[in-house]
Amino acid sequence: MTQTTRRPTRQRRAVAEALATSPEFHSAQQLHAHLQREGTKIGLATVYRALQAMSDDGDVDVVRTDDGESLYRSCSTGHHHHLVCRGCGRAVEIEGPAVERWATRVSDEHGFVDVEHTVEIFGTCQDCAD
Amino acid sequence: MTQTTRRPTRQRRAVAEALATSPEFHSAQQLHAHLQREGTKIGLATVYRALQAMSDDGDVDVVRTDDGESLYRSCSTGHHHHLVCRGCGRAVEIEGPAVERWATRVSDEHGFVDVEHTVEIFGTCQDCAD
DNA sequence: CACTACTTCGATAATGGTTGTCAATCCAGC
DNA sequence: GCTGGATTGACAACCATTATCGAAGTAGTG
Ligand SMILES: [Zn+2]
Ligand SMILES: [Zn+2]
Ligand SMILES: [Zn+2]
Ligand SMILES: [Zn+2]
């Protein structure tokens, strides 16, 4: 929110690259383990901080699993939602203008302001269905 | 899921009643504190277990806040979603046939099976907007 | 190159909602 | 009353996330 100076450090770059190389959702802990394995020296707290910052800037998508874990994925620009596979974590970005209109209409009807919405679809993809 | 024998005990009834008397969402801990205050002797774990069971049976709605807390509310029958006020917790049950159709269509298009979706709208209600 | 005023890092401790443990207790049904 | 499974509750364990805080990096200035 507050436009603080944000320095592009080695660690932040590493997190961004790790996300960019994979189209799936990953948890902060997965990313940390992966980076450590690749030889990148980075602390867990720093991974969380980097992801938090990227999320604030709108550079990553975040979804929350049923057991309360946050998953991060490099983000395309613009507002959209996800169809996520419970098995492999593969995600399909989806858009639904109708849903957007519906959300704003419902909110207006009930006099709600400053409205946000979450729409996530979880399922099992073809590959994981075997 | 597995149709285990489920006994209607004093504690379970207390939780169900506490939920039934209020149309808003409450956390497990809030419910526990409330019951204790009312003189009902019940353990926190039991409250969680009761809510879990009711959730499995589809008798309560569950939403997760941004900070990972689960909120429970007595449920109307049938599939629906919520428009929740961030300030007072008041919830409006909403239905959106169009959204349901859209969700299944998108899932089918991408070959996903065993699909669930979450649609929640958060905002500020008129009373809390002042 | 010093000196300074930041930001950032990372090991570790703390947080906090939730779940597991397990002996004590309840409750049908015999 | 007996018995076996269901249920309870005090407490510990879990675990993702966050806070702490001293150390280390990084401009910018002269
Ligand atoms: Zn899959
Ligand atoms: Zn949307
Ligand atoms: Zn309100
Ligand atoms: Zn729906």
Side-chain angles (χ1 to χ4, degrees), chain A residues 56-88:
Chain A
D56 289 347
D57 294 352
D59 295 331
V60 295
D61 291 324
V62 189
V63 300
R64 300 200 55 142
T65 59
D66 283 342
D67 50 313
E69 199 176 19
S70 292
L71 303 181
Y72 304 86
R73 179 185 191 272
S74 63
C75 180
S76 312
T77 55
H79 176 85
H80 57 269
H81 302 286
H82 297 102
L83 173 58
V84 186
C85 174
R86 270 187 292 260
C88 61

Side-chain angles (χ1 to χ4, degrees), chain A residues 11-94:
Chain A
Q11 291 89 339
R12 285 214 244 265
R13 242 188 312 266
V15 173
E17 280 182 22
L19 277 174
T21 56
S22 168
E24 281 116 42
F25 278 92
H26 299 286
S27 71
Q29 318 241 8
Q30 283 174 341
L31 288 168
H32 178 237
H34 176 257
L35 289 170
Q36 297 257 81
R37 222 179 300 119
E38 298 296 317
T40 306
K41 199 167 165 302
I42 187 173
L44 177 59
T46 302
V47 175
Y48 275 104
R49 275 188 293 245
L51 291 171
Q52 188 65 54
M54 297 169 97
S55 173
D56 289 347
D57 294 352
D59 295 331
V60 295
D61 291 324
V62 189
V63 300
R64 300 200 55 142
T65 59
D66 283 342
D67 50 313
E69 199 176 19
S70 292
L71 303 181
Y72 304 86
R73 179 185 191 272
S74 63
C75 180
S76 312
T77 55
H79 176 85
H80 57 269
H81 302 286
H82 297 102
L83 173 58
V84 186
C85 174
R86 270 187 292 260
C88 61
R90 170 167 20 189
V92 181
E93 294 190 349
I94 51 183

